[in-house]
Amino acid sequence: MENIGATVTLAEDIFNQPIRIQFEAFIDEHRRALNDSLNGLTEEQARRSLVPSRTTLLGLVKHATFVEKVWFDEAITCRSRAEIGIPSTPDESFILDDGDTVASIQQAHREACEASRQATSSLGLDDMLKGNRRGPLPLRWVYLHMLRELAQHCGHADILREQILSQ
């Protein structure tokens, strides 16, 4: 398993820990699972489109990088998506460029996850993040939203990977 965090903490190991540690462990497990969904695939397999949308395994991890930057850069720093250098819409975040590779997308995702951890390290769960388009939201809500989003995309990745490997 590729370590995308400084320390790997498994959710089952933190049952009696404070809720923040639990949130972060679950989020990191899902970050790793999504990143790892690309392991062992060829570039063609990672780009293979199996659904009518822009969703591919490589695109899912690229989108997850976008999501990290929306929730832990835009929401915290109040910088615009243009300033951050990310697409203006979630749908555009699935678009793959010619230079996107399994290695480059996995690395960009790992770096975005680390930046997210650093950006939240000094915040409390009830601290308000003011840069989201919905308005101010507490970090607690953002963590729950991220967990939901990552879990959903891990499910997508599991199904796509199973289909790709069965062909």
Side-chain angles (χ1 to χ4, degrees):
M1 168 177 16
E2 181 77 33
N3 179 1
I4 68 168
T7 303
V8 175
T9 303
L10 302 178
E12 64 262 15
D13 295 335
I14 46 85
F15 182 75
N16 292 314
Q17 295 295 313
I19 191 68
R20 179 173 184 140
I21 292 172
Q22 293 180 26
F23 276 146
E24 291 172 350
F26 275 85
I27 290 169
D28 277 342
E29 274 191 12
H30 284 78
R31 285 169 169 157
R32 277 189 300 279
L34 191 55
N35 195 289
D36 288 351
S37 72
L38 295 172
N39 289 350
L41 297 180
T42 67
E43 297 296 331
E44 184 278 326
Q45 288 173 317
R47 288 176 170 270
R48 191 173 296 161
S49 178
L50 300 170
V51 294
S53 70
R54 292 179 169 155
T55 305
T56 63
L57 275 172
L58 195 62
L60 273 174
V61 179
K62 187 172 184 177
H63 170 72
T65 302
F66 163 84
V67 169
E68 292 285 338
K69 292 179 180 187
V70 165
W71 288 105
F72 299 115
D73 190 335
E74 181 183 32
I76 291 173
T77 68
C78 300
R79 296 189 311 154
S80 71
R81 292 179 185 187
E83 288 174 285
I84 297 167
I86 58 175
S88 59
T89 68
D91 189 51
E92 293 171 310
S93 71
F94 285 89
I95 297 172
L96 298 172
D97 302 323
D98 290 341
D100 289 334
T101 65
V102 169
S104 71
I105 294 296
Q106 283 183 309
Q107 182 62 31
H109 181 248
R110 284 190 295 271
E111 289 170 3
C113 293
E114 181 56 31
S116 295
R117 280 189 288 280
Q118 289 178 10
T120 58
S121 66
S122 65
L123 300 176
L125 290 177
D126 294 322
D127 285 350
M128 299 301 282
L129 309 185
K130 298 180 179 167
N132 186 266
R133 296 173 181 193
R134 290 175 178 88
L137 296 164
L139 179 61
R140 174 187 320 273
W141 188 94
V142 171
Y143 274 2
L144 287 167
H145 174 78
M146 281 298 295
L147 186 56
R148 176 178 62 186
E149 176 133 356
L150 289 167
Q152 178 183 22
H153 291 321
C154 282
H156 295 146
D158 285 346
I159 292 167
L160 291 174
R161 185 174 170 90
E162 181 178 339
Q163 289 177 319
I164 287 167
L165 294 177
S166 71
Q167 294 179 347

